[in-house]
Amino acid sequence: MADEIDVRILNMLSTDNAISQKEMAYKLAISESYLSKKKKELQYKYGYIAKYTIEIAYEKLGYSTNAISFIKLHSISKQKTDKIAENLSNINEAIEVYTAFGKWDIYVRWLCRSPSEVMENLNKVIEASDIEILETTTFGIGYKRVNGPILSSK
């Protein structure tokens, strides 16, 4: 179980993973060696840190169209749903693919250069699938995006 220092470390890393060891230790009022030990425990012992990564400004690289698609299949079987989800996972611009329970069978989040690129990718899906309903929405202005909630030590 994560203690208060662990939670503060995780929150700091989730908002700025480029923060220096020295600055983080100072803000936490702990030694750099203790911080290093805690970070290693969080990553290797407890698995709370899956990986260190960067956040790319995709919109500056031309990827400005975010969209989500909900897919309902004509007939449902685990094998068919999994196969279609796996095929969708192989499309580069499909950045999230989930099977779902409820009204929809598959959820896809797209990050593309344009709405027409979203359509091109959807056409790949339609051609190769037993789709009953395909509903896609393109996002407008983004107001918040985080990887997860701020953690508390409760």
Side-chain angles (χ1 to χ4, degrees), residues 1-3 6-7 10 13 38-52 151:
M1 188 84 169
D3 64 25
D6 295 337
V7 169
L10 292 170
L13 289 172
K38 293 294 273 180
K39 284 171 65 177
K40 285 178 182 171
E41 285 178 353
L42 290 170
Q43 185 170 12
Y44 300 112
K45 183 176 180 181
Y46 301 115
Y48 295 150
I49 299 173
K51 63 182 176 180
Y52 292 93
L151 302 172

Side-chain angles (χ1 to χ4, degrees), residues 65-121:
T65 304
N66 277 281
I68 54 172
S69 294
F70 296 98
I71 300 170
K72 178 75 174 167
L73 302 175
H74 277 292
S75 57
I76 303 169
S77 74
K78 180 170 175 16
Q79 291 87 357
K80 183 185 289 187
T81 305
D82 287 348
K83 184 174 191 255
I84 294 169
E86 286 173 20
N87 289 340
L88 285 162
S89 297
N90 291 325
I91 299 172
N92 186 50
E93 294 80 9
I95 61 171
E96 291 180 16
V97 179
Y98 294 95
T99 56
F101 301 98
K103 181 178 179 181
W104 304 103
D105 300 313
I106 299 173
Y107 159 89
V108 184
R109 180 164 167 241
W110 305 95
L111 181 56
C112 299
R113 291 181 178 91
S114 65
S116 61
E117 189 174 57
V118 174
M119 290 304 301
E120 290 170 21
N121 284 306

